[in-house]
Every structure is written in C-alpha cells, then in structure tokens.
C-alpha cells in the first residue's frame, strides 16, 4: 500500500508551520476558536494554567534531567528520558505559549538537546513521545532546521521496528531480542504522528505508509464491539498471525485500561487528521463513546474502566488529561459539540480536584495519577505526561492558534 503523493504533500503543508507563520491551513484551531466557552469555565482553566506556570517558575530552574514521576511529591528523574523525556520540554513549551516568558523557551531548548542520543534508539517504540512534543515542536516554534532533522532521524529509527508480516510496530525490546517481538500496545497510536511528520518533511511516503498500516492493524484487532480496547495484543512475530489480547498495565486482558483508551482516542483522531481516512475517525468516535460512557460523575477516570472495584477504585488523572485533548480534537474533526462539552468537564474536574495546590512540597502540577496499578508502581502520584496534557488541553481552549503552531492541528 502506498499513500498518494497528494496526501504526502498535504501533510507537508500542514506540518510546515513555523514561528514566522501568522496562520496555518489548520481547520481545527479556527473552529475551536469560534466555539464559545462559558466564562466560569474559562476562568477556572485560566487559573489552572496560571498555577502551572507559577509552579514551573519555581521548579523548572532546578531540573537538570527528565522527570518520570514523583516520590513523596518530589520528582524522580531519568538521565536519558526513559520513554517520557519529551514531556518535560513539551510542558515548558506550553508554559512559554501561555506566559510569553522566554525563560521557559530557553529551558525547553536546553532540555530537548539532552535527548539527542535517542534519535538513534531502535530499542523503543516511544520515539514519538520523545521527539514530537520536544524536537518537532522546537522546530515549529524556532524554525531551526536542526530540530526537524533530528525528529526525522528519530522516525527513521522508529520504522525499523515495523513488522511487515503482521503490519505492526513492535512495542518493546531490542530488535534482536525475541522476547516481546510480536507484542503491540495501544500506546503506539500516539507515536505515529512522528511518522506523519517525517513524510511531510521529506516527501517520502514510507513513514506515513507504516503509520497507516499500523493504525489499520490496531483498529482491526484492538477494537471490541462495545468500543473498549485491551492494553496489549500479541502476534506471532515470525508469521504475523494474531495470537490474542493481553495486558500489562490494565486489570486483565478483557478489561479496559483508561489511559490506554485515551491514547487510542487521541491517536486515531490524529491519524484521521493526517490521512482523512473515515475509518480512523469512526474508530476514534467508538473509543470516545465508550470512555465517555464509563466516566464517573466526578469526571476523573478510574485507572481501569473494568476493574472490579470501579467506579470506586483509584483514579488516573493523566488519563483524564489525555482524553480531554483527544475529545477536543474529535469535536473539531466531527463538529459534535458534545465531545467538547465532556472535554471541558474533564479539564474543569482536573483543575478543581487534581492540582497540587494544597501542598507546598509538591513539585508537579497534577496529582492523583496512577502509573502501573497491577505492578503497584506509582499509585496516586504525579506523572510528567499529566502535566503536559493538562496544559495542552487547557491551551487548546484558551489559545488554539498557539497550540496549532506548536503541535500542528491541521487536517488534510
């Protein structure tokens, strides 16, 4: 399968927004700007963004590597970024867009440079998480081609993980390690936009081809009749034959890990925007409808929508932040105001009940996150991607054109 030259060129046009642009061809951002948001909601979201900037002003100058999660409310760090390294510079970029304080810009660039060795890392599928909110955003907001070149190199590393027999991108493990060689996870949907970016910048459709094939495989095997998804799906790596659903971070192979559902919702909506494939939009809507129906009245997702103790189980605010961003994107893509209304309720709930305002010790912005409940790893802590997606979601409401400049909200 080949993506048409027209699609590649359209993607390139969408991705070419730089700091010098006054507007892009994006349809999502102007549409979002035209939607009226209730004044009380705007006040709450603006106050949450101001709080995030205030917190980052205090904490960011002391950060010398990459936050991965909190212990006793203080950030723990990874020197190479683990899989989350892109979110810290991404958060700083969001803070810069909201505050216009160049301190955040400088810190974002300094942090992103430390990810440079990871351009060549073929041992992870998370290169989109690492390089899209950091290097691709840095290129869009500075126009410095070094950032674009590095992001494309990361995409070159990512496509080496593609299995053409099963038409999927392998999630975990070194390329020469047979363990997990056929393992696919829903999270990978969020790494595909790096490949769309690479096709747009190079004019070479191979990157987007692989992204489309992986998304089609994910749609075929992950999506259940009710719109829920498992965390993992296993294949025979040698033949590409499907084996069946599984999980690592969800409650069971038949449950629905809330953050994974949010990754899928956001990822499929993005793939629709990059390709105009209606099947991707339909899939995003099915994932969204299930997740919205599974929300508790407080609008903070439980860690797994089908865990035995839900709806009274522990929460994962990061799932809510990611879901809100995906729903705002989906509302723009479909014109359905109901998705935007739920997104605003999610963001408002996070702003009212999940910020670290009551702690003078806390270094993060968002509390009540859960990293890996089955492993008892990171229960009710703060996570860097929660901070990032909360700010992205709020700025999608307050400053949609600025977010478009940073992450490209265009639709082909």
């Amino acid at each position: 399968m080949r993506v048409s030259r027209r699609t590649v060129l359209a993607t390139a046009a969408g991705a070419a927004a730089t700091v010098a642009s006054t507007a892009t061809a994006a349809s999502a951002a102007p549409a979002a700007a035209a939607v009226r948001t209730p004044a009380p909601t705007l006040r709450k979201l603006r106050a949450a963004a101001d709080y995030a900037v205030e917190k980052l002003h205090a904490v960011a100058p002391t950060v010398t590597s990459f936050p991965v999660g909190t212990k006793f409310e203080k950030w723990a760090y990874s020197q190479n970024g683990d899989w989350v390294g892109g979110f810290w510079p991404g958060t700083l970029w969001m803070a810069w867009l909201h505050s216009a304080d160049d301190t955040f810009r400088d810190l974002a660039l300094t942090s992103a440079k430390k990810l440079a060795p990871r351009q060549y890392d073929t041992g992870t599928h998370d290169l989109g998480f690492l390089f899209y909110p950091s290097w691709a955003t840095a290129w869009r907001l500075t126009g410095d081609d070094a950032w674009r070149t590095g992001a494309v190199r990361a995409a070159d590393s990512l496509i080496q993980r593609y299995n053409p027999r099963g038409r999927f991108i392998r999630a975990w493990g070194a390329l020469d390690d047979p363990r997990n060689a056929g393992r696919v996870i829903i999270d990978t949907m969020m790494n595909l936009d790096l490949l769309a970016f690479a096709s747009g910048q190079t004019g070479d459709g191979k990157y987007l081809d692989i992204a489309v094939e992986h998304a089609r495989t994910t749609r075929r095997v992950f999506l259940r009749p009710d719109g829920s998804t498992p965390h993992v799906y296993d294949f025979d790596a040698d033949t590409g034959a499907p084996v069946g659903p599984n999980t690592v971070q969800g409650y069971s192979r038949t449950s629905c890990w809330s953050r994974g559902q949010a990754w899928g919702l956001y990822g499929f909506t993005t793939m629709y925007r990059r390709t105009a494939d209606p099947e991707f939009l339909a899939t995003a809507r099915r994932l969204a409808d299930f997740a919205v129906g599974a929300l508790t009245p407080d609008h903070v997702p439980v860690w797994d929508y089908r865990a035995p103790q839900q709806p009274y189980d522990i929460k994962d605010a990061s799932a809510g932040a990611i879901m809100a961003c995906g729903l705002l994107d989906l509302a723009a893509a479909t014109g359905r105001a109901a998705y935007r209304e739920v997104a605003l309720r999610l963001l408002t709930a996070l702003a009212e009940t999940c910020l670290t305002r009551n702690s003078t010790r806390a270094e993060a912005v968002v509390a009540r996150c859960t990293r890996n409940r089955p492993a008892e790893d990171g229960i009710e802590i703060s996570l860097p991607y929660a901070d990032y997606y909360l700010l992205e979601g709020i700025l999608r409401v307050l400053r949609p054109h600025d977010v478009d400049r940073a992450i490209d909200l265009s639709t082909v």
Side-chain angles (χ1 to χ4, degrees), residues 344-363:
L344 293 175
R345 288 200 293 272
L346 283 161
L347 292 172
T348 301
L350 296 177
E352 291 180 334
T353 68
C354 296
L355 300 189
T356 58
R357 283 194 175 104
N358 293 331
S359 172
T360 58
R361 175 182 174 82
E363 293 184 338

Side-chain angles (χ1 to χ4, degrees), residues 113-138:
K113 287 176 184 177
K114 296 175 183 176
L115 291 172
R118 303 295 299 277
Q119 299 168 63
Y120 308 99
D121 186 352
T122 61
T124 178
H125 72 122
D126 285 318
L127 291 164
F129 282 133
L130 289 168
F131 283 89
Y132 201 86
S134 57
W135 286 51
T137 293

Side-chain angles (χ1 to χ4, degrees), residues 78-320:
S78 165
Q79 292 299 315
N80 76 349
D82 197 73
W83 72 271
V84 300
F87 294 120
W88 179 249
T91 300
L92 296 171
W93 280 123
M94 293 296 125
W96 179 69
L97 291 175
H98 184 61
S99 67
D101 184 339
D102 283 342
T103 300
F104 292 125
R105 178 186 183 277
D106 296 342
L107 289 171
L109 293 171
T110 299
S111 177
K113 287 176 184 177
K114 296 175 183 176
L115 291 172
R118 303 295 299 277
Q119 299 168 63
Y120 308 99
D121 186 352
T122 61
T124 178
H125 72 122
D126 285 318
L127 291 164
F129 282 133
L130 289 168
F131 283 89
Y132 201 86
S134 57
W135 286 51
T137 293
W139 171 66
R140 291 194 180 98
L141 295 178
T142 69
D144 184 342
D145 277 346
W147 300 109
R148 174 173 56 182
T149 300
V152 172
R153 284 199 194 103
D156 283 323
S157 297
L158 179 55
I159 62 174
Q160 293 186 50
R161 301 183 66 76
Y162 181 65
N163 183 318
R165 294 175 296 280
R167 297 184 177 181
F168 62 81
I169 295 172
R170 170 184 178 169
W172 295 317
L175 296 179
D176 59 355
D177 186 348
R179 294 173 298 174
N180 295 316
R183 181 147 281 197
V184 179
I185 63 175
I186 192 69
D187 317 39
T188 306
M189 287 300 305
M190 291 294 290
N191 290 297
L192 301 184
D193 206 20
L194 180 67
L195 301 183
F197 175 86
S199 278
Q201 296 308 308
T202 65
D204 189 339
K206 67 183 180 183
Y207 306 97
L208 188 55
D209 287 345
I210 287 173
V212 167
E213 291 293 356
H214 178 90
R216 287 178 174 169
T217 298
T218 302
R219 175 179 57 81
R220 187 178 72 251
V221 302
F222 277 79
L223 185 64
R224 299 180 181 129
D226 65 357
S228 67
T229 57
H231 177 208
V232 173
Y233 199 94
D234 289 319
F235 293 83
D236 184 304
D238 294 326
T239 67
V243 175
N246 213 322
T247 197
V248 172
Q249 288 176 260
Y251 177 76
S252 73
R253 68 184 63 197
T254 60
S255 72
C256 184
W257 177 48
S258 61
R259 189 160 72 244
Q261 189 79 2
W263 292 139
L265 158 60
Y266 192 139
F268 273 107
T269 307
T270 301
M271 284 301 295
Y272 167 73
R273 290 197 291 104
R274 301 302 181 222
T275 65
D277 186 331
E279 291 183 343
F280 294 154
L281 185 62
T283 302
R285 289 191 60 182
R286 290 181 64 187
L287 268 65
D289 292 345
F290 176 86
V292 169
L295 285 174
T296 49
D298 66 356
H299 280 78
V300 181
V302 294
W303 74 277
D304 190 302
Y305 293 126
R306 286 188 173 144
Q309 292 179 324
Q310 67 81 30
Y312 308 108
D313 211 334
I314 59 172
K315 301 290 187 172
D316 183 7
S318 73

Side-chain angles (χ1 to χ4, degrees), residues 5-23:
R5 179 70 173 168
R6 178 181 178 186
T7 297
V8 171
L9 291 175
T11 304
T18 69
V19 69
S21 301
T22 57

